[in-house]
Amino acid sequence: MTTYDYDLFTIGAGSGGVRASRIAAQYGAKVAVAEEYRVGGTCVIRGCVPKKLFVYASHFHEEFEDAEAFGWSVPAPSFSWTTLIANKDKEIDRLNGIYIRNLEKAGVEIIQDRAILKDAHTVHLVNEGRDITAKYILIATGGWPFMDTSIPGHEFAISSNEAFHLEDLPKRIMVYGGGYIAVEFAGIFHGLGVETRLIYRGEEILRGFDDDLREGVHAEIAKKGITVHTQTTIQSIDKSGDAYAVTLSTGDIVETDLVMFATGRKAYTDGLGLENAGVEVDRSGAVKVDSYSQSSVENIYAVGDVTNRVNLTPVAIREGQAFAETVFNNNPIKVDHDMIPSAVFSQPELGTCGLTETEARAAYSNIDIYKTSFRALKHTLTGRDEKTLMKLIVDGDTDKVLGVHLMGPASGEMIQLAGVAMKMGATKAQFDQTVAVHPTSSEELVTLREAWQG
Ligand code: NDP
């Protein structure tokens, strides 16, 4: 019988890889995980967590302004980017330490190196220059920002990776893209006092989200002062003294101090040696897997963003857990990718679960829409002209709630619980039977009586 150095070798210590390695080790497997950067992966090190800390920082700008309406007088506030970065780094170091300790406690060996596949059972450690064999290999290398290198001057642009480590906050920024990262960072920079432009190639930002939320966020961020250019692309970036001159497809040349590309992420498989082992990838470079996360090679699995299924941290964690259960606990589990609640930490925030109105109308013949838009109680005093929006999409035949879409403060918190009800197959009547929590914004979700007549 062939013997291997390890039962499992995981490449990538992010959310999916760490969970899979830890659980496999707890089931008695001998496990090693290779990580070329920092244990914790994108979410912890340069994604969700530091991003959310930045979002908190950027909210204070409006909080100080709003405080006056409630009787507070606030001396002119000032902001220190250096302090924010230092505090953020301290917290990320702490989390990184916890991830390392949890792996070690479970008996997982951490190898700080880049690992590439040599064949179906062998990985090569690039810096150490040695080979390791394993019965199973898990690819959990995540994603990497896509930077369009055909744009002249693209090398001047940063991605979200660098945004977490800027030495100074620019006075002006141009964010390119209209997805999650672009909209979240535009809000962060604007809230921190940076003159912000968002450049998006399509008709409306946040493609894939419900149209009411897309238009709603666009209107709100524009009201706050972010300049949004739709149906516009960046043609070139030229250095102009200490700044950059960006030529847009409209012919305009706009000066800015920093350009950030947020034009999507690609599976991080380049140079991983997948072809040496015969692992198939799709056209975007993502590892092709079945519903058990098994690749085209029997003993090689992949979880998380590298498979480009639903690119969210909690999904990667579930995929990692399901892989470990399937392979090391004889308990085959498929991850259910249906009805996944998620949030966008734009300003205002979004929470969404289930089908958009467009998707629902395409899939069902009888759709009822319930929606409301209002000014939250807090802003009756502040006078701030910011709308909260709530929308339920209901199957008119079965009364089942197919989609919930929220825009406004704490939408991310709300959608988690709406997601529980939706996962249980809740009907509109059951939403209505639930007594409202007053005074909250979320009470609107259970008091929407009249179907919207569009
Ligand atoms: P998205 O796919 O959300 O957005 C990419 C944006 O870039 C789109 O607006 C897209 O336009 C545009 N784009 C793509 N290619 C080009 C190009 N060649 N030229 C110009 N524009 C282009 O990716 P993100 O990078 O924002 O986020 C990556 C993933 O990370 C998300 O899918 C999400 O799953 C995850 N994420 C989740 C967060 C959360 O849960 N809150 C936060 C941040 C990220 P178009 O619409 O026309 O395709």
Side-chain angles (χ1 to χ4, degrees), residues 248-362:
L248 302 177
S249 53
T250 51
D252 294 324
I253 299 177
V254 179
E255 266 223 354
T256 185
D257 302 306
L258 192 63
V259 181
M260 173 174 158
F261 281 6
T263 44
R265 294 171 62 85
K266 292 259 179 281
Y268 188 42
T269 52
D270 277 357
L272 203 57
L274 295 179
E275 61 291 351
N276 301 333
V279 175
E280 285 177 22
V281 294
D282 68 15
R283 279 177 50 207
S284 71
V287 178
K288 284 192 197 171
V289 288
D290 67 10
S291 45
Y292 293 100
S293 298
Q294 189 175 33
S295 78
S296 56
V297 178
E298 206 188 348
N299 70 305
I300 300 183
Y301 288 69
V303 295
D305 288 9
V306 76
T307 63
N308 196 24
R309 285 176 280 180
V310 179
N311 299 334
L312 296 170
T313 297
V315 175
I317 291 172
R318 288 200 169 213
E319 290 167 358
Q321 175 93 28
F323 154 77
E325 288 289 339
T326 302
V327 176
F328 295 101
N329 193 34
N330 197 24
N331 175 25
I333 295 181
K334 292 181 185 180
V335 172
D336 176 5
H337 289 101
D338 191 34
M339 283 283 185
I340 295 174
S342 70
V344 183
F345 296 99
S346 48
Q347 298 176 40
E349 190 171 304
L350 302 182
T352 176
C353 186
L355 301 182
T356 65
E357 180 175 343
T358 308
E359 288 165 345
R361 289 199 187 282

Side-chain angles (χ1 to χ4, degrees), residues 122-139:
T122 314
V123 292
H124 177 70
L125 297 179
V126 175
N127 295 326
E128 290 188 27
R130 66 182 169 108
D131 292 347
I132 286 179
T133 60
K135 186 167 182 201
Y136 291 97
I137 292 173
L138 179 68
I139 300 162

Side-chain angles (χ1 to χ4, degrees), residues 3-10 29-33 107-111 121 123 125 130-137 328:
T3 55
Y4 299 102
D5 299 328
Y6 294 94
D7 299 314
L8 172 65
F9 193 94
T10 302
K30 186 179 179 201
V31 185
V33 57
V108 177
E109 187 183 337
I110 302 169
I111 299 175
H121 289 283
V123 292
L125 297 179
R130 66 182 169 108
D131 292 347
I132 286 179
T133 60
K135 186 167 182 201
Y136 291 97
I137 292 173
F328 295 101

Side-chain angles (χ1 to χ4, degrees), residues 103-410:
L103 281 171
E104 287 173 349
K105 253 194 281 172
V108 177
E109 187 183 337
I110 302 169
I111 299 175
Q112 198 71 54
D113 205 341
R114 176 168 173 76
I116 56 177
L117 287 171
K118 249 183 133 168
D119 61 42
H121 289 283
T122 314
V123 292
H124 177 70
L125 297 179
V126 175
N127 295 326
E128 290 188 27
R130 66 182 169 108
D131 292 347
I132 286 179
T133 60
K135 186 167 182 201
Y136 291 97
I137 292 173
L138 179 68
I139 300 162
T141 49
W144 195 255
F146 163 69
M147 306 293 279
D148 186 347
T149 52
S150 70
I151 298 175
H154 66 87
E155 64 278 8
F156 297 126
I158 64 159
S159 72
S160 55
N161 285 352
E162 292 75 40
F164 291 110
H165 300 287
L166 293 175
E167 274 185 29
D168 300 302
L169 201 55
K171 284 207 165 51
R172 299 165 295 182
I173 192 160
M174 182 180 283
V175 179
Y176 192 29
Y180 284 78
I181 296 180
V183 173
E184 291 182 341
F185 268 92
I188 289 168
F189 284 117
H190 171 75
L192 296 179
V194 180
E195 189 189 312
T196 305
R197 274 174 203 273
L198 187 74
I199 312 288
Y200 174 52
R201 67 180 178 182
E203 262 178 51
E204 188 53 278
I205 57 172
L206 290 171
R207 188 163 61 82
F209 287 80
D210 187 87
D211 286 343
D212 280 320
L213 292 197
R214 299 170 71 190
E215 287 162 22
V217 176
H218 184 153
E220 293 302 327
I221 65 176
K223 260 192 258 170
K224 285 179 194 290
I226 296 176
T227 308
V228 183
H229 302 247
T230 52
Q231 296 185 292
T232 306
T233 55
I234 290 183
Q235 300 294 295
S236 65
I237 308 169
D238 291 295
K239 193 106 183 78
S240 161
D242 288 340
Y244 299 103
V246 181
T247 306
L248 302 177
S249 53
T250 51
D252 294 324
I253 299 177
V254 179
E255 266 223 354
T256 185
D257 302 306
L258 192 63
V259 181
M260 173 174 158
F261 281 6
T263 44
R265 294 171 62 85
K266 292 259 179 281
Y268 188 42
T269 52
D270 277 357
L272 203 57
L274 295 179
E275 61 291 351
N276 301 333
V279 175
E280 285 177 22
V281 294
D282 68 15
R283 279 177 50 207
S284 71
V287 178
K288 284 192 197 171
V289 288
D290 67 10
S291 45
Y292 293 100
S293 298
Q294 189 175 33
S295 78
S296 56
V297 178
E298 206 188 348
N299 70 305
I300 300 183
Y301 288 69
V303 295
D305 288 9
V306 76
T307 63
N308 196 24
R309 285 176 280 180
V310 179
N311 299 334
L312 296 170
T313 297
V315 175
I317 291 172
R318 288 200 169 213
E319 290 167 358
Q321 175 93 28
F323 154 77
E325 288 289 339
T326 302
V327 176
F328 295 101
N329 193 34
N330 197 24
N331 175 25
I333 295 181
K334 292 181 185 180
V335 172
D336 176 5
H337 289 101
D338 191 34
M339 283 283 185
I340 295 174
S342 70
V344 183
F345 296 99
S346 48
Q347 298 176 40
E349 190 171 304
L350 302 182
T352 176
C353 186
L355 301 182
T356 65
E357 180 175 343
T358 308
E359 288 165 345
R361 289 199 187 282
Y364 294 81
S365 52
N366 184 13
I367 289 295
D368 290 331
I369 303 294
Y370 296 83
K371 62 181 175 182
T372 179
S373 165
F374 55 95
R375 188 197 276 195
L377 178 61
K378 180 180 173 189
H379 296 312
T380 56
L381 289 205
T382 66
R384 191 176 286 286
D385 177 24
E386 182 176 306
K387 289 276 182 297
T388 292
L389 199 149
M390 301 201 161
K391 180 169 178 180
L392 294 189
I393 295 170
V394 178
D395 178 356
D397 294 330
T398 63
D399 200 39
K400 199 174 155 191
V401 177
L402 301 173
V404 173
H405 305 283
L406 312 172
M407 178 183 84

